[in-house]
Amino acid sequence: MKSRFNLILVGVGGQGLITLGRLIGEACIRAGLNVTVAEVHGMSQRGGSVVVHVRIGEGDSPVIPLGGAHHIIAMEVLEAGRSARYANRDTVMVVNDLLLPPPLAKHPGKKEVIDALKSKLERVYIYDAEGVSKKIMGTPISSNIALLGFSLGVNPALESLISRVAVEKALEAIFKEKALDLNKKVFEEAFREGRSNIGG
Amino acid sequence: MHPVLARKGETVLLMGNEAVARGALESGICLAAAYPGTPSTEIVETLSEVAKDLKIWVEWSVNEKVAFETAYAAAISGVKSLTAMKHVGLNVAADILMSSAYAGVKAGFVIVSADDPGHHSSQNEQDNRWYGFISHIPVVEPSSPREAYYFTKESFKLSEKYGHPVILRTTTRLSHTRQPVTLEEDLPASPVCKGVFEKAIDRWVLVPGHAKKLKIKLLEIWKKIQYDTSEPFAKIINPGMKDVIIASGIAYSHVEEALRIAGLESKVTILKVNMPVPVPRKPVEEVLRNAERVLIVEELDPVVEKQVKSISKELGLACEIYGKEYIPENDELSLQVVYNGICRFSGKCDPVMWESIGELKLEPQIPPRPPVLCPGCPHRSSYYIVKTALNKAGIRKVIFTGDIGCYTLGFQKPFETQMTSFEMGGAIGIAHGLSKVVDEAIVAVVGDSTFYHAGIPGVINLVFNKGRAIPMILDNSVTAMTGHQPHPGTGVTAVGEPTVRILPENILRAIGFETFVINPLKVKDSISVLAKALEEFKDGKNIAIISRARCALEVLRDARKTKTVLPVYKVDPEKCTGCLACVNLSACPALVLEPDSRKPVIIEELCAGCGLCASICPFNAISVANTPTQDWEKLW
């Protein structure tokens, strides 16, 4: 393979991006794939921008070049907009339907950011990940898992690399008992909703 | 089970730092000591998590020098050991580093220097490979997390072979990247943990007469390492080409992929250097003899480049050697940057790998999210309190010297209570020096962990040499910035065992400071205590301030665990006049102004219940909105 599969995860510190990166890494091991999961964050413990670079396939260089993302998972709308520089025209982007503006800063609205993304990308999906997490878990805590399920649903190229089975095995390595069952449900439901978006 | 305890043959997802920890455990270490510092922290943190199970000694020492000495002492007594620190931490330990090369070791000893190209969380991006030259200690540099595991083990072997310390140099991108690692061996059933200190006065006592002799031996070892080392510390890939790329550390991973993308992998010979100092001599000679053009790809300084050029000159070779002409000398390298450099060097590839859609053009633009003090952070209250108290005491012109920690974020508006920040413990020495040459009042702000690390000599000097500055210790009783590692003021050790708690007020009082301890959650009381304290300062006394409350992140975590309800505040829109004093004086991320509104609201999910905003509000418009658990204050 000439190029690895490049997956960018973006959001705000505290949203569960590092866990999501680990989960995908664990899923890759279970799918027999090489992977690098690089966490890029500054000094802030919470509330700062976080970018996780996941690169699947042979090779060790961890950071994805600008324009090099095949798929982007954004846990927050402004961070989705900020991640545009990693996208090319063919990038698939899944955006959590959530706006968390930094304090006291002037910022564009949700619709403006999404419209701007859609004007440049063919495949932008907005997903209410908090909704599915709240429905099944009672809290937004599994929004990250929902966005991964939805991403596998709308992007068969990603699903052909890390199968649903591999993700479920990875969930088993991270969660136990009730939390495991509920997270599997969140993942499956989000996958189905994603797939129905592309007519599957 | 912790992934670093997995069995031989298993494939586990390890962060570079965890991979170093596993490699060290497989090598049979029985002691590890460190002071936390990004990006090195997780190495010894991981070891601390498994120390009790494995019956090895792991500690957070007060600073890098003490950590180094602790680990080195084990190694000169025949017990394998490791110390780890961030790049600037090695400056603190540099004294013992130099001496350790003269006296050597009796068991494997590895010093991990976790460098930070791109200064993601550091004051500089110094390239610690240079330390290899000034100390005559070889520097090993892996190119991936997986190799960090492998080369940790190779570093221990090298150290044992020559009875010499070895520096393992990693960089942020490797330290904080996870990768599947297939484990080659099980952990040793019973590593050597009992040492024997053999009296060898002529070896362990570095008086000039002994050191002179040891230096001769040291140079012999240095030469041997240079001339006798080849694989695995250097590897020639696709030999025989006229174009040669020499790459060291993580730069190799970028080179490998860049050549693949450019379709040049079969047209270039690569020398992969895993020991940049000293560069293994034979493989360098071998590739240079065939080469016409050579490009050296390495992060930061031209460390390998200078050595390769010097070897080429010695041999009288005619090949052209390039390095920093094509590869930047500052900032972290990436696939993109290396690809661009190789394209310019070879003139053979399309410089565009992927076409980015670019930044979105929006009005207003997407705002940055700079790091800020967390909601509920006691530093925020401490800063408000000290500034208000100074004002009350009529002290208008104040210089705040600063230090290294979360509280460095106080450099920002509205606080500006960090006007310098150079190195660990620097606030106090700088304050002392300033007090000799300026007229302003000086407050030296330093965190608790930093105070133990390097602040104590500074406060002693301040009193001894009659400086006029107020040390202010922001004490959250933990090393918060690197992820809450315990220190001498915490009351537990690295592995969670209870130990004596050494309080900074006892140290300061013993030195001669009249010391005032405040609780930043009690804003009004604290202001009046400090206002009184400042009167004493004006009378010429030595005063010191300790502001003590736990890190809000720890409090929130414990509240979740113990199901304690913390207070949550709300703004009463009836009483609020929209003066925005709360917003402008606290800069708390939980206080927001909705678009088109003049009155702020508090985001319930973010509010940690510190109550600073309520203390600031001149109209009593902010109050507790819920029913907190009784005794919630105990968590702080």
Side-chain angles (χ1 to χ4, degrees):
Chain A
M1 185 167 59
K2 199 169 180 182
S3 161
R4 295 191 272 165
F5 188 93
N6 296 329
L7 174 58
I8 290 266
L9 317 175
V10 297
V12 179
Q15 282 194 301
L17 281 158
I18 306 291
T19 308
L20 181 58
R22 279 184 62 190
L23 177 71
I24 298 170
E26 294 284 353
C28 286
I29 290 183
R30 279 147 189 88
L33 296 165
N34 194 15
V35 66
T36 56
V37 182
E39 301 159 10
V40 182
H41 45 87
M43 305 204 306
S44 56
Q45 298 242 8
R46 288 196 333 167
S49 301
V50 178
V51 184
V52 180
H53 296 246
V54 182
R55 309 197 65 202
I56 303 170
E58 286 313 310
D60 298 321
S61 175
V63 173
I64 299 169
L66 299 184
H70 295 94
H71 188 104
I72 296 176
I73 296 178
M75 294 205 57
E76 194 274 335
V77 172
L78 295 175
E79 295 309 318
R82 207 190 308 279
S83 74
R85 59 186 193 272
Y86 291 109
N88 59 62
R89 298 207 72 87
D90 299 323
T91 303
V92 179
M93 192 186 270
V94 169
V95 185
N96 191 17
D97 191 6
L98 175 72
L99 186 82
L100 293 174
L104 299 186
K106 287 207 170 76
H107 59 85
K110 225 189 254 182
K111 187 172 180 304
E112 286 74 45
V113 177
I114 301 295
D115 286 350
L117 286 169
K118 283 188 170 166
S119 74
K120 296 198 172 185
L121 296 174
E122 294 276 325
R123 288 188 286 171
V124 181
Y125 301 92
I126 316 301
Y127 183 51
D128 180 15
E130 284 206 353
V132 66
S133 175
K134 276 185 184 160
K135 193 174 89 184
I136 294 168
M137 307 290 295
T139 74
I141 193 157
S142 294
S143 302
N144 52 357
I145 312 284
L147 287 163
L148 179 62
F150 189 87
S151 289
L152 262 62
V154 296
N155 193 347
L158 179 59
E159 196 207 354
S160 72
L161 278 174
I162 34 171
S163 63
R164 274 187 286 162
V165 176
V167 174
E168 290 193 355
K169 280 190 192 156
L171 285 169
E172 283 162 18
I174 292 178
F175 297 101
K176 282 191 183 65
E177 294 164 10
K178 198 176 163 207
L180 173 64
D181 289 344
L182 293 177
N183 273 303
K184 276 188 179 176
K185 270 189 197 151
V186 170
F187 177 74
E188 278 304 322
E189 171 140 350
F191 175 80
R192 275 197 301 276
E193 289 185 44
R195 193 44 57 90
S196 71
N197 257 276
I198 58 166
Chain B
M1 192 176 62
H2 201 292
V4 298
L5 296 180
R7 302 193 63 114
K8 175 181 172 182
E10 284 187 54
T11 300
V12 281
L13 188 70
L14 295 182
M15 182 194 270
N17 282 339
E18 294 171 330
V20 171
R22 169 69 190 208
L25 290 173
E26 265 182 40
S27 302
I29 61 158
C30 199
L31 188 145
Y35 181 79
T38 313
S40 72
T41 310
E42 296 85 356
I43 299 169
V44 165
E45 192 162 64
T46 301
L47 293 171
S48 76
E49 284 160 9
V50 299
K52 275 190 168 171
D53 287 349
L54 299 175
K55 299 189 176 65
I56 63 171
W57 181 254
V58 176
E59 72 173 45
W60 291 119
S61 309
V62 289
N63 64 32
E64 294 85 356
K65 173 176 143 64
V66 175
F68 192 118
E69 290 156 353
T70 304
Y72 181 59
I76 66 171
S77 311
V79 173
K80 287 184 195 171
S81 65
L82 170 139
T83 183
M85 56 205 73
K86 68 182 293 168
H87 57 334
V88 290
L90 195 52
N91 302 337
V92 177
D95 206 347
I96 175 75
L97 174 79
M98 303 304 149
S99 294
S100 72
Y102 279 67
V105 292
K106 293 209 157 184
F109 177 52
V110 171
I111 305 140
V112 185
S113 170
D115 292 10
D116 190 17
H119 18 68
H120 294 279
S121 50
S122 310
Q123 60 268 45
N124 69 40
E125 56 175 6
Q126 70 184 47
D127 188 332
N128 273 8
R129 294 178 299 169
W130 294 114
Y131 268 118
F133 289 115
I134 46 176
S135 63
H136 295 92
I137 294 176
V139 180
V140 174
E141 195 181 21
S143 72
S144 66
R146 191 178 292 129
E147 278 198 354
Y149 161 70
Y150 176 72
F151 277 109
T152 301
K153 298 200 291 178
E154 289 300 327
S155 297
F156 273 100
K157 284 184 202 158
L158 187 68
S159 172
E160 295 251 303
K161 181 175 175 189
Y162 292 102
H164 202 66
V166 171
I167 296 173
L168 179 76
R169 187 235 190 184
T170 59
T171 53
T172 305
R173 200 52 57 223
L174 184 150
S175 311
H176 286 170
T177 293
R178 293 171 204 273
Q179 197 176 33
V181 178
T182 303
L183 302 173
E184 296 171 331
E185 291 163 78
D186 277 325
L187 298 183
S190 45
V192 176
C193 290
K194 209 71 209 155
V196 178
F197 177 75
E198 283 170 21
K199 190 168 72 180
I201 306 256
D202 55 348
R203 181 170 179 188
W204 309 131
V205 181
L206 295 183
V207 292
H210 298 162
K212 259 181 204 290
K213 285 183 196 145
L214 290 169
K215 178 70 185 280
I216 294 165
K217 205 177 136 214
L218 165 59
L219 290 175
E220 279 168 16
I221 291 175
W222 188 244
K223 203 155 218 174
K224 267 192 204 155
I225 292 173
Q226 220 167 330
Y227 282 86
D228 296 352
T229 315
S230 52
E231 282 211 42
F233 296 105
K235 190 179 173 192
I236 300 170
I237 298 158
N238 193 34
M241 298 294 124
K242 299 290 173 205
D243 277 0
V244 171
I245 293 181
I246 301 177
S248 169
I250 198 157
Y252 168 77
S253 74
H254 309 317
V255 166
E256 182 272 325
E257 188 169 347
L259 290 175
R260 212 156 18 117
I261 291 172
L264 294 172
E265 65 266 54
S266 62
K267 301 187 177 80
V268 180
T269 291
I270 303 177
L271 175 62
K272 177 178 187 296
V273 174
N274 302 310
M275 187 170 78
V277 179
V279 166
R281 177 81 187 206
K282 279 183 195 154
V284 172
E285 286 187 14
E286 198 181 322
V287 294
L288 287 185
R289 284 189 197 281
N290 284 317
E292 281 176 9
R293 293 177 82 232
V294 179
L295 175 67
I296 291 140
V297 184
E298 60 189 318
E299 216 159 44
L300 299 179
D301 300 349
V303 171
V304 172
E305 184 181 332
K306 283 188 189 298
Q307 296 177 79
V308 170
K309 281 180 174 165
S310 137
I311 293 171
S312 171
K313 182 131 200 244
E314 249 177 67
L315 299 176
L317 299 175
C319 57
E320 298 167 27
I321 301 174
Y322 302 96
K324 293 302 166 191
E325 294 85 347
Y326 294 102
I327 304 295
E329 202 165 338
N330 64 318
D331 218 336
E332 151 174 83
L333 294 183
S334 64
L335 170 58
Q336 181 80 62
V337 169
V338 169
Y339 182 84
N340 291 348
I342 290 177
C343 287
R344 289 201 297 127
F345 168 75
S346 68
K348 282 178 195 152
C349 48
D350 179 354
V352 180
M353 277 192 285
W354 286 284
E355 193 100 49
S356 167
I357 61 170
E359 309 275 338
L360 298 184
K361 288 186 183 64
L362 289 158
E363 191 49 49
Q365 289 181 329
I366 294 173
R369 289 185 202 270
V372 289
L373 295 173
C374 303
C377 176
H379 301 328
R380 174 180 290 106
S381 301
S382 299
Y383 285 149
Y384 173 77
I385 289 164
V386 70
K387 283 179 78 175
T388 310
L390 283 159
N391 212 17
K392 272 200 165 174
I395 305 174
R396 309 271 174 214
K397 284 188 163 176
V398 187
I399 297 173
F400 289 90
T401 60
D403 225 297
I404 309 280
C406 297
Y407 52 91
T408 312
L409 293 170
F411 78 89
Q412 291 161 320
K413 282 187 191 309
F415 309 111
E416 297 188 319
T417 41
Q418 295 276 289
M419 300 179 184
T420 64
S421 176
F422 300 118
E423 26 70 274
M424 292 288 285
I428 297 166
I430 297 288
H432 173 67
L434 285 176
S435 79
K436 297 294 175 192
V437 297
V438 302
D439 291 330
E440 290 97 323
I442 300 159
V443 179
V445 181
V446 57
D448 44 352
S449 195
T450 308
F451 177 72
Y452 299 110
H453 177 288
I456 295 171
V459 285
I460 293 173
N461 185 65
L462 185 71
V463 172
F464 168 56
N465 278 314
K466 298 171 176 284
R468 282 291 289 157
I470 304 169
M472 179 171 185
I473 320 293
L474 302 186
D475 182 3
N476 52 20
S477 304
V478 80
T479 313
M481 185 161 193
T482 45
H484 307 112
Q485 292 78 22
H487 63 50
T490 309
V492 292
T493 66
V495 298
E497 279 173 0
T499 183
V500 63
R501 191 171 174 204
I502 301 163
L503 294 172
E505 55 266 40
N506 295 340
I507 298 170
L508 290 163
R509 283 174 187 147
I511 294 168
F513 287 95
E514 201 164 325
T515 304
F516 299 84
V517 183
I518 59 168
N519 174 356
L521 259 57
K522 305 218 178 288
V523 176
K524 284 179 182 146
D525 294 354
S526 297
I527 291 170
S528 50
V529 170
L530 289 198
K532 253 184 255 156
L534 291 167
E535 292 304 322
E536 309 257 329
F537 178 70
K538 286 202 281 191
D539 288 346
K541 289 198 180 129
N542 286 318
I543 69 157
I545 302 165
I546 292 164
S547 185
R548 179 174 296 133
R550 293 178 72 214
C551 170
L553 294 181
E554 283 200 304
V555 172
L556 290 169
R557 186 198 59 203
D558 290 353
R560 273 195 301 276
K561 268 196 212 156
T562 57
K563 301 206 188 309
T564 304
V565 180
L566 298 171
V568 171
Y569 284 80
K570 69 165 192 305
V571 180
D572 180 348
E574 297 293 312
K575 290 186 186 167
C576 177
T577 64
C579 75
L580 295 184
C582 57
V583 170
N584 292 330
L585 294 177
S586 81
C588 176
L591 270 166
V592 299
L593 261 187
E594 306 266 303
D596 309 318
S597 168
R598 275 175 48 247
K599 298 179 181 180
V601 291
I602 294 170
I603 303 176
E604 210 181 307
E605 290 80 15
L606 290 182
C607 178
C610 74
L612 175 64
C613 55
S615 303
I616 292 173
C617 179
F619 303 99
N620 292 321
I622 303 178
S623 57
V624 177
N626 61 346
T627 318
T629 312
Q630 226 181 352
D631 291 342
W632 63 269
E633 275 173 292
K634 282 190 179 157
L635 285 188
W636 290 87

